[in-house]
Amino acid sequence: MDIANCLALIERLCAREFPAEHGRTDVGTGGPGYLMAALRTSGDLQGDDGAEREMVEAQYEADRDALAERLTERWGPADVFGLAGVLLRSAEGEAAAEPWGTLAAHVPDVHLWRAGPDRWVALGVSRRDGELPCRLLAVVTDTDPP
């Protein structure tokens, strides 16, 4: 992972306007109030006995932590925000505002910074159902965490 490139991408996300509609962007996905980009995506882990997935997840967590150190220099210490409650409420029929609902479906927690008066920046490692690729995600949103 190239930290400088990841930080530059996060900077671009912070400076952009949010899309008016949900959909793909040139760097990932977005919609009203958010932009999401995969900073790293693993290869296919389907059929893995679990050892490779654990190794990839550990590496992506280390990458997230390295980025977090740099973002902490800029915005102060991150809050670690668990998304299990959001996922539970979604399962009970309560819709979470985006991007939090989408994140909760496959990211257990995010490192979260307030990046100015109207932006949040979150980093998380996607661990979706054990078969799909792992991803290190960066999210910029103006939607407060639930």
Side-chain angles (χ1 to χ4, degrees), residues 51-93:
E52 184 178 0
R53 176 168 283 282
E54 286 180 25
M55 185 176 66
V56 169
E57 286 179 1
Q59 181 59 56
Y60 282 26
E61 288 171 355
D63 292 344
R64 178 204 56 211
D65 293 347
L67 283 168
E69 286 179 24
R70 301 291 290 280
L71 295 176
T72 293
E73 292 170 6
R74 180 169 183 185
W75 294 310
D79 289 321
V80 177
F81 184 76
L83 296 170
V86 177
L87 182 62
L88 180 61
R89 289 190 305 271
S90 293
E92 294 172 348

Side-chain angles (χ1 to χ4, degrees), residues 3-119:
I3 288 179
N5 284 339
C6 291
L7 292 170
L9 177 56
I10 292 168
E11 288 292 328
R12 286 196 327 262
L13 293 176
C14 287
R16 281 187 169 179
E17 294 295 321
F18 299 119
E21 302 291 326
H22 294 283
R24 302 270 324 141
T25 70
D26 61 323
V27 295
T29 60
Y34 75 96
L35 289 161
M36 187 180 312
L39 302 175
R40 288 193 72 185
T41 301
S42 71
D44 183 10
L45 297 172
Q46 195 168 12
D48 172 44
D49 65 359
E52 184 178 0
R53 176 168 283 282
E54 286 180 25
M55 185 176 66
V56 169
E57 286 179 1
Q59 181 59 56
Y60 282 26
E61 288 171 355
D63 292 344
R64 178 204 56 211
D65 293 347
L67 283 168
E69 286 179 24
R70 301 291 290 280
L71 295 176
T72 293
E73 292 170 6
R74 180 169 183 185
W75 294 310
D79 289 321
V80 177
F81 184 76
L83 296 170
V86 177
L87 182 62
L88 180 61
R89 289 190 305 271
S90 293
E92 294 172 348
E94 182 181 328
E98 290 302 336
W100 305 109
T102 297
L103 281 172
H106 54 94
V107 176
D109 56 58
V110 293
H111 291 216
L112 185 65
W113 294 265
R114 180 64 116 161
D118 63 345
R119 299 279 166 131

